[in-house]
Amino acid sequence: MVSDVSTLKAGDEIIITDTKYEQSIGKEDKNNFKQTSITCTYNKIKPGEDVAIITLESAGNANTFYLNGYYTNSSGSKETGYFYAASSGSNYLRAQTSKNDNSKALISIANDIATIKFQGTNTRNWIQYNQSSSLFACYAEDKPQKDIAIFRKYVEAKPEAPTFTYEGVDEKRMEFDEIGVAYIYAQDGCTIYYTINGNDPTTSSTEYD
């Protein structure tokens, strides 16, 4: 879950949920987007098939992005488009292939509650969750619905390769077939497994201590 808007950057993949983390923006429904159920454990989301995955694109100003969604359209096919506030008289959240001011979204976050406001001329420009209608749409600021939260795709970094020190040998001149290993080092939190027969180690191999 994103708690600090300053950590968002172009290229991030996000989903938009209600603040109870039970529903997310889902399938396109003509003028809005239906809700779709998600699974949340310890503030981590496991999105379902119909969840709209949104890639942030820079819109030029701080904390301002175009929301490039990959979503299921009303025909059941997958497509991409930029979410935008589509009306000043109706609560329309739509997607289009082009970018303009009505698809330029200013994002702010306070106490884990996200505010996403489109910056164009259409005044129903505030993405909210409508629980009674089971959808996500755009509303005027003076007609609030349910608050939303933002979750970002998290990719666990791979640990760096272990490093070695060698007994009685210059590391830069490893001409020997056999070398005595003095120590193996790894990042904090990593466990090292090794073999002495040339096979790749697995978690069933000997643990180095």
Side-chain angles (χ1 to χ4, degrees), residues 25 28-33 54 67-69 71 79-88 90-98 100 102-103 118 122 124 127 136-138:
I25 293 180
E28 181 186 38
D29 186 26
K30 191 176 179 180
N31 291 316
N32 311 107
F33 282 81
I54 299 166
L67 309 182
N68 188 2
Y71 60 91
E79 68 174 277
T80 60
Y82 294 98
F83 289 116
Y84 72 106
S87 176
S88 289
S90 299
N91 301 318
Y92 291 165
L93 171 64
R94 293 176 179 166
Q96 60 187 5
T97 57
S98 59
N100 57 28
N102 287 317
S103 59
F118 294 108
N122 289 331
R124 298 201 182 186
I127 296 181
F136 288 79
C138 282

Side-chain angles (χ1 to χ4, degrees), residues 137-159:
C138 282
Y139 296 89
E141 189 170 358
D142 61 350
K143 297 181 179 179
Q145 299 291 316
K146 299 294 183 181
D147 291 322
I148 59 173
I150 293 175
F151 284 76
R152 172 173 41 209
K153 183 178 180 180
Y154 172 73
V155 179
E156 189 171 5
K158 292 183 179 180

Side-chain angles (χ1 to χ4, degrees), residues 2 5 7 15 29 33 36 54 60 64 69 90 96 108 110 117 119 126-127 132 150 154 161-162 174 187 198:
V2 180
V5 69
T7 66
I15 63 173
D29 186 26
F33 282 81
T36 188
I54 299 166
T64 306
S90 299
Q96 60 187 5
S108 59
K117 290 184 180 179
Q119 300 298 292
W126 187 23
I127 296 181
S132 61
I150 293 175
Y154 172 73
M174 295 170 55
Q187 290 175 242

Side-chain angles (χ1 to χ4, degrees), residues 3-130:
S3 299
D4 182 355
V5 69
S6 68
T7 66
L8 289 174
K9 61 184 183 303
D12 283 348
E13 292 183 14
I14 66 169
I15 63 173
I16 297 171
T17 76
D18 71 310
T19 53
K20 294 185 180 297
Y21 319 134
E22 296 175 348
Q23 305 295 331
S24 178
I25 293 180
K27 186 176 180 180
E28 181 186 38
D29 186 26
K30 191 176 179 180
N31 291 316
N32 311 107
F33 282 81
K34 295 179 180 179
Q35 69 181 35
T36 188
S37 297
I38 51 180
T39 302
C40 180
T41 306
Y42 303 116
N43 283 356
K44 291 185 178 181
I45 292 293
K46 182 178 181 181
E49 182 178 350
D50 285 336
V51 168
I53 306 296
I54 299 166
T55 301
L56 299 180
E57 295 185 11
S58 176
N61 298 320
N63 305 328
T64 306
F65 302 93
Y66 297 108
L67 309 182
N68 188 2
Y70 178 68
Y71 60 91
T72 304
N73 64 24
S74 55
S75 300
S77 301
K78 290 288 188 180
E79 68 174 277
T80 60
Y82 294 98
F83 289 116
Y84 72 106
S87 176
S88 289
S90 299
N91 301 318
Y92 291 165
L93 171 64
R94 293 176 179 166
Q96 60 187 5
T97 57
S98 59
K99 296 181 281 190
N100 57 28
D101 284 346
N102 287 317
S103 59
K104 187 182 293 185
L106 176 63
I107 301 177
S108 59
I109 301 174
N111 299 319
D112 297 336
I113 294 173
T115 300
I116 301 177
K117 290 184 180 179
F118 294 108
Q119 300 298 292
T121 56
N122 289 331
T123 55
R124 298 201 182 186
N125 59 347
W126 187 23
I127 296 181
Q128 294 270 279
Y129 171 55
N130 187 325

